[in-house]
């Protein structure tokens, strides 16, 4: 990704201090400033929990109906504006998907109340523990749904539409003078399920509604993450983490109708979703809900809204890629009817062959709706249909002013996944296999991202374009490269204290965009743990209260110094990522932890010092920073006395590292004295990684002070 024209905007987080998500604050009431405009706003809720068994959506191998209720689910509504103004209604519902016919039916019913298509936004939470709606994910189970089960689905769908109408009318009836304010914070439990350090939008925008007398009316939050904490082994109805977030918000904001909508998180899952038992998954869903509620409660920097709400919508067609031929459909049937085939794909192919036999024309486009709602030039909402991947919101926040932008997906219709060009090229589930479940004949065209973003630009009102970052703004982002092997990547067991994010410590992801820094920094593979990087970043942030800290992780486990020397693949990658990050900030230092691999052979260990010294000079030259602070860290002293000695030259490497400050100006060495391994006699344990991060921070700050004196 070329970041030359991508200007990262920290927004409200610049001024949020040391925000640690999940920390209790003893002020749960909604305290809006008194200078906001009085709007006419009403809120309402309605229970949409079925009292009969029904198929739940989202997992193809869960083919039995629900067996009970784990948590009651709801639809909730906010109505904005007087009858004279023409009211707008925002509905949130605990459901996995939303077929277009639901919105069309509801819109016709609400026309008598002056509700137009521009002014109706329906958003679903994408909970995979919610009832299936008729017309959504029709091929999910890879077979025809039995008539008795289909009858329950049809019944629930009718009741669902009726209840959406009731809650919308109730919100209109409940309108009263109210003040609106909004702000933005972050939480970090969403992780990209496809790419380590891949795109994730961790923003948590919050809209608060208070009555003229100061009482809570509603609180609305938006977070980009699948509602799949409970996974397929759960057979009971639940709102998942989004439902628990609503429960917790209604507890800490007494009297408020709490609503949760979902951002562009189609390829993002809750952390630690898999490989846990049902009890643990439920506990995680509750924990994530509390995290959302606490973050909303802690948010102090609220901005009052005072301008008129304006609403726009646009319907477009998203072209599909070239359709399969009849022969290709027949091949799909044959291949996928084999024991190792995918029955869903075979079922889908047979359905399309039957359509062709009936003389039907297969679709070549996907209907798509999008909206913008804006309060003058103070705040713009973007509502995108479908399961939208994170690249969309991150791109929109570069092309528009992210300090005034709110992006919600799963809105008004969920016809399929909406892949970005990056995801489209991966030929992943989100691009191809998922289209089988949604019953489209092939994947979307490569141009999808530009088509959708272009349509947003068409209906976004003037005044929201992003401004170029000035040199003063760039100086507010201090960038540090994290280089080395597995002890920089980290194998420490991640505990609750390690999950706490800091509002001013950011991560440059694998796709070259900035996000809130959360563990694991270097990806979420099977051995993912935490290293010294995040503690280092937080420690530096504590001493640099007017700046944001940007961490650029580049470390790779089990790597020799040779790959980090000029001409090596890891060296080239680190320089490229550093240059990309420097478009948005100022490079302040490099942290290096490597050497275990070079302590195996005597020739590598004996030449280590000379080669490392040259590498430091080379990377400084290539980055245009001749005095760039560079801190090296010693490998574990426990390597000297391993039971199974595989690193006989560990002390030679440590001695070489210790000599670096003697031979290279503006460098320092962090000693590993007193640090312990995690049991494998190679990797530091969690306590030692935290200490190592603090030691790195101490030395880098000393070097920065020294380099500043030479300027």
């Amino acid at each position: 990704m070329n970041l030359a024209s991508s200007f990262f905007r920290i927004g409200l987080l610049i001024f949020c201090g040391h925000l640690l998500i999940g920390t209790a604050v003893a002020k749960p009431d909604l305290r809006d400033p008194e200078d906001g405009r009085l709007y006419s706003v009403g809120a309402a809720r309605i229970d949409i929990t079925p009292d009969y068994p029904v198929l739940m959506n989202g997992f193809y191998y869960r083919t039995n109906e629900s067996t009970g209720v784990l948590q009651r689910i709801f639809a909730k509504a906010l109505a904005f504006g007087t009858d004279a103004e023409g009211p707008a209604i925002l509905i949130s519902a605990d459901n996995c998907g939303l077929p277009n016919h639901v919105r069309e039916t509801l819109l016709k019913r609400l026309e008598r109340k002056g509700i137009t298509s521009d002014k109706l936004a329906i958003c679903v939470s994408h909970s995979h523990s919610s009832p299936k709606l008729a017309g959504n994910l029709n091929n999910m189970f890879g077979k025809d749904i039995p008539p008795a089960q289909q009858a329950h689905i049809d019944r629930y769908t009718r009741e669902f539409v009726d209840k959406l109408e009731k809650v919308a009318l109730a919100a209109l009836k409940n309108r009263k003078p109210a003040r609106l304010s909004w702000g933005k914070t972050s939480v970090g439990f969403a992780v990209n399920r496809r790419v380590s350090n891949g795109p994730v939008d961790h923003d948590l925008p919050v809209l608060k509604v208070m009555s003229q007398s100061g009482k809570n009316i509603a609180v609305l939050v938006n977070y980009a993450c699948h509602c799949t904490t409970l996974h397929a082994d759960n057979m009971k109805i639940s709102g998942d983490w989004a439902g628990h977030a609503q429960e917790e918000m209604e507890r800490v904001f007494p009297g408020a109708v709490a609503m949760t909508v979902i951002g562009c998180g189609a390829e993002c899952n809750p952390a630690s979703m898999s490989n846990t038992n049902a009890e643990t998954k439920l506990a995680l869903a509750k924990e994530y809900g509390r995290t959302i509620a606490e973050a909303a409660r802690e948010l102090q920097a609220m901005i009052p809204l005072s301008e008129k709400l304006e609403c726009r919508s646009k319907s477009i067609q998203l072209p599909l890629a070239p359709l399969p031929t009849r022969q290709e459909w027949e091949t799909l049937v044959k291949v996928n009817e084999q024991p190792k085939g995918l029955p869903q794909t075979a079922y889908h192919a047979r359905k399309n062959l039957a359509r062709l036999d009936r003389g039907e024309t297969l679709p070549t486009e996907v209907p798509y709706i999008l909206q913008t709602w804006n309060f003058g030039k103070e705040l713009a909402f973007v509502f995108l249909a479908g399961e939208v991947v994170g690249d969309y919101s991150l791109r929109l926040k570069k092309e528009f002013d992210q300090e005034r932008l709110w992006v919600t997906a799963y809105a008004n219709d969920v016809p399929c996944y909406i892949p970005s060009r990056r995801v489209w090229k991966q030929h992943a589930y989100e691009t191809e296999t998922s289209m089988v479940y949604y019953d489209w004949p092939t994947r979307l065209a490569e141009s999808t991202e530009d088509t959708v973003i272009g349509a947003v630009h068409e209906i976004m009102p003037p005044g929201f374009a992003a401004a170029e970052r000035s040199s003063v703004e760039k100086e507010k982002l201090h960038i540090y490269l994290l280089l080395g092997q597995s002890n920089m990547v980290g194998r420490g067991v991640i505990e609750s204290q390690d999950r706490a994010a800091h509002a001013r410590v950011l991560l440059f992801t694998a796709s070259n965009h900035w996000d809130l820094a959360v563990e694991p920094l270097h990806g979420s593979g099977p051995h993912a743990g935490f290293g010294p990087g995040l503690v280092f970043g937080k420690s530096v942030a504590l001493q640099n209260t007017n700046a944001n800290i940007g961490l650029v992780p580049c470390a790779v486990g089990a790597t020799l110094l040779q790959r980090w020397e000029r001409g090596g693949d890891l060296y080239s990658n680190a320089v490229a990522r550093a240059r990309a990050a420097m478009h948005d900030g100022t490079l302040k230092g490099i942290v290096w932890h490597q050497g275990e691999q070079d302590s195996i052979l005597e020739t590598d260990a004996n030449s280590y010092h000379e080669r490392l010294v040259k590498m430091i000079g080379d990377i400084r030259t290539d980055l245009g920073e001749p005095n760039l602070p560079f801190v090296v860290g010693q490998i574990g002293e426990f390597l000297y006395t391993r039971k199974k000695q595989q690193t006989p030259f560990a002390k030679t490497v440590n001695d070489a590292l210790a000599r670096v400050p003697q031979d290279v100006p503006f460098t320092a060495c962090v000693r590993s004295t007193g640090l312990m391994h995690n049991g494998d006699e190679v990797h530091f344990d969690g306590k030692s990684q935290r200490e190592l991060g603090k030691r790195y921070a101490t030395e880098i700050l000393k070097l920065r002070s020294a380099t500043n004196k030479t300027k």
Side-chain angles (χ1 to χ4, degrees):
M1 181 182 296
N2 180 7
L3 294 185
S5 61
S6 300
F7 305 103
F8 172 65
R9 302 182 63 83
I10 303 301
L12 294 176
L13 297 183
I14 293 176
F15 305 104
C16 284
H18 313 305
L19 177 62
L20 300 179
I21 302 304
T23 303
V25 175
K27 291 186 178 181
D29 56 318
L30 301 175
R31 295 193 175 184
D32 269 357
E34 296 182 358
D35 55 348
R37 165 182 177 164
L38 282 175
Y39 295 85
S40 179
V41 184
R45 67 170 64 83
I46 191 168
D47 194 318
I48 58 173
T49 313
D51 58 4
Y52 49 88
V54 63
L55 276 177
M56 294 188 290
N57 217 344
F59 296 111
Y60 74 87
Y61 41 85
R62 188 174 55 190
T63 57
N64 293 324
E65 294 184 316
S66 58
T67 59
V69 176
L70 194 61
Q71 177 191 48
R72 303 201 72 80
I73 56 177
F74 293 87
K76 301 175 182 180
L78 275 176
F80 302 91
T82 64
D83 289 345
E85 293 170 328
I89 297 177
L90 171 62
I91 297 175
S92 68
D94 294 323
N95 201 273
C96 185
L98 185 72
N100 182 59
H101 72 81
V102 169
R103 185 177 189 272
E104 292 301 313
T105 301
L106 183 61
L107 186 59
K108 289 180 180 178
R109 296 185 186 183
L110 295 177
E111 283 178 351
R112 58 190 172 87
K113 291 293 184 179
I115 305 300
T116 64
S117 182
D118 292 349
K119 294 187 174 184
L120 176 63
I122 309 174
C123 307
V124 292
S125 66
H126 202 51
S127 169
H128 284 39
S129 296
S130 62
K132 185 185 184 311
L133 295 174
N136 178 245
L137 287 164
N138 285 335
N139 289 352
M140 174 53 65
F141 306 108
K143 60 182 181 180
D144 292 340
I145 296 174
Q149 291 185 347
Q150 187 62 51
H152 287 163
I153 292 170
D154 294 341
R155 174 187 172 185
Y156 184 80
T157 303
R158 292 191 299 270
E159 294 172 353
F160 182 78
V161 177
D162 291 344
K163 289 184 177 181
L164 293 192
E165 181 185 11
K166 288 179 180 178
V167 78
L169 294 175
L172 288 169
K173 183 179 179 180
N174 293 340
R175 283 173 292 176
K176 63 180 70 174
R179 289 191 174 90
L180 304 178
S181 64
W182 92 287
K184 184 164 55 177
T185 180
S186 301
V187 296
F189 64 79
V191 296
N192 191 296
R193 67 190 184 190
R194 301 296 173 208
V195 182
S196 295
N197 288 326
V200 182
D201 187 347
H202 280 133
D203 281 354
L204 183 77
V206 180
L207 179 73
K208 296 180 180 179
V209 186
M210 288 186 67
S211 71
Q212 191 173 7
S213 61
K215 293 184 178 180
N216 303 332
I217 294 178
V219 56
L220 169 72
V221 300
N222 182 96
Y223 190 57
C225 183
H226 258 61
C227 269
T228 50
T229 321
L230 298 179
H231 216 61
D233 54 351
N234 173 53
M235 294 301 298
K236 296 184 178 181
I237 300 294
S238 172
D240 208 279
W241 66 258
H244 288 289
Q246 294 169 57
E247 287 183 355
E248 286 296 313
M249 286 191 290
E250 291 181 355
R251 180 182 64 81
V252 300
F253 301 132
V257 173
M259 304 169 66
T260 304
V261 295
I262 308 299
C264 299
E267 58 175 337
C268 297
N269 283 345
S272 303
M273 184 192 78
S274 302
N275 303 320
T276 54
N277 59 38
E279 183 177 347
T280 302
K281 290 172 185 173
L282 177 59
L284 282 170
K286 292 180 178 180
E287 177 186 340
Y288 297 148
R290 284 192 296 272
T291 300
I292 294 284
E294 292 296 335
R297 181 171 68 167
E298 291 172 5
L299 184 58
Q300 302 295 318
M302 298 298 293
I303 302 171
L305 298 176
S306 60
E307 298 185 36
K308 181 181 177 181
L309 174 63
E310 301 173 341
C311 304
R312 298 170 178 82
S313 65
K314 185 177 180 66
S315 293
I316 61 176
Q317 297 292 325
L318 300 180
L320 291 168
L323 300 183
T325 64
R326 171 178 283 276
Q327 183 178 1
E328 288 171 331
W329 284 122
E330 292 170 347
T331 300
L332 284 171
V333 172
K334 182 178 181 180
V335 170
N336 287 285
E337 285 183 338
Q338 301 302 314
K340 293 185 179 180
L342 295 174
Q344 297 83 2
T345 300
Y347 174 74
H348 179 240
R350 286 194 299 271
K351 285 181 70 172
N352 282 289
L353 284 170
R355 288 164 177 154
L356 292 175
D357 290 341
R358 294 192 297 268
E360 297 178 15
T361 300
L362 301 183
T364 58
E365 296 176 317
V366 175
Y368 192 79
I369 183 172
L370 58 160
Q371 292 173 306
T372 59
W373 287 13
N374 63 288
F375 291 90
K377 295 184 179 180
E378 296 174 333
L379 172 63
F381 286 82
V382 176
F383 295 103
L384 300 175
E387 299 199 50
V388 187
V389 300
D391 294 306
Y392 283 82
S393 60
L394 296 169
R395 178 174 170 180
L396 288 170
K397 290 175 183 180
K398 292 174 181 176
E399 297 183 11
F400 298 104
D401 182 359
Q402 76 161 11
E403 296 179 19
R404 296 177 291 144
L405 192 67
W406 177 311
V407 184
T408 294
Y410 299 93
N412 296 309
D413 185 14
V414 185
C416 59
Y417 275 85
I418 309 298
S420 61
R421 179 173 283 104
R422 177 189 63 83
V423 173
W424 190 91
K425 291 180 178 179
Q426 294 174 354
H427 296 271
Y429 166 82
E430 291 80 6
T431 304
E432 297 186 351
T433 310
S434 65
M435 298 300 273
V436 169
Y437 299 131
Y438 279 104
D439 200 14
W440 294 104
T442 189
R443 64 178 179 161
L444 288 164
E446 185 178 3
S447 59
T448 298
E449 178 182 339
D450 290 338
T451 301
V452 172
I453 297 295
V456 174
H457 276 270
E458 290 180 23
I459 61 174
M460 180 69 75
F464 284 95
E468 183 172 344
R469 288 175 55 78
S470 67
S471 59
V472 174
E473 289 176 317
K474 288 180 69 173
E475 184 55 36
K476 292 179 181 178
L477 178 61
H478 294 181
I479 297 170
Y480 295 91
L481 297 188
L482 307 178
L483 310 183
Q485 57 181 105
S486 56
N487 267 316
M488 177 59 79
V489 174
R491 295 292 185 265
V493 177
I494 300 174
E495 301 176 8
S496 57
Q497 62 180 304
D498 307 307
R499 297 188 186 279
H502 190 297
R504 292 187 294 104
V505 181
L506 308 167
L507 174 73
F508 199 54
T509 70
S511 57
N512 286 7
H513 76 269
W514 292 104
D515 202 350
L516 186 72
V518 293
E519 295 290 5
L521 292 185
H522 283 79
S524 54
H527 303 296
F530 79 94
L534 186 53
V535 173
F536 163 80
K538 291 178 181 179
S539 300
V540 174
L542 289 174
Q543 301 301 318
N544 290 263
T545 57
N546 295 321
N548 299 282
I549 307 303
L551 304 177
V552 183
C554 301
V556 178
T559 54
L560 287 162
L561 174 57
Q562 180 182 7
R563 294 179 65 186
W564 293 98
E565 296 175 58
R566 182 186 274 169
D569 61 325
L570 299 181
Y571 179 94
S572 299
N573 178 66
V575 170
R577 279 175 53 74
R579 288 172 175 166
M582 289 165 68
H583 287 301
D584 300 314
T586 304
L587 186 61
K588 294 292 184 178
I590 296 177
V591 179
W592 171 264
H593 200 100
Q594 190 276 340
E596 292 89 348
Q597 205 71 13
D598 286 88
S599 65
I600 298 174
L601 299 178
E602 186 175 12
T603 53
D604 291 334
N606 287 341
S607 63
Y608 189 85
H609 178 77
E610 180 181 357
R611 291 184 293 129
L612 180 59
V613 167
K614 185 179 185 304
M615 186 273 273
I616 294 171
D618 288 341
I619 200 167
R620 283 173 167 176
T621 299
D622 290 343
L623 294 176
E625 297 288 345
N627 295 329
L628 183 67
F630 196 111
V631 179
V632 303
Q634 288 188 323
I635 59 180
E637 293 183 358
F638 44 75
L639 294 171
Y640 304 167
T641 56
R642 294 176 68 181
K643 294 178 182 178
K644 186 177 181 181
Q645 187 51 264
Q646 296 174 319
T647 52
F649 303 102
K651 191 173 188 308
T652 302
V653 171
N654 266 353
D655 290 343
L657 289 162
R659 295 201 312 273
V660 169
Q662 302 171 19
D663 298 335
V664 185
F666 304 112
T667 62
C669 178
V670 167
R671 303 281 179 166
S672 60
T673 305
L675 303 183
M676 306 299 293
H677 60 77
N678 65 5
D680 66 3
E681 297 186 313
V682 177
H683 299 104
F684 295 113
D685 62 14
K687 182 178 180 181
S688 297
Q689 288 284 20
R690 296 183 197 103
E691 175 61 25
L692 194 59
K694 294 175 184 177
R695 293 181 186 182
Y696 273 124
T698 298
E699 296 303 324
I700 206 82
L701 291 171
K702 288 179 183 178
L703 290 176
R704 281 189 51 200
S705 177
T707 56
N708 288 338
K709 292 177 182 179
T710 65
K711 294 181 179 179

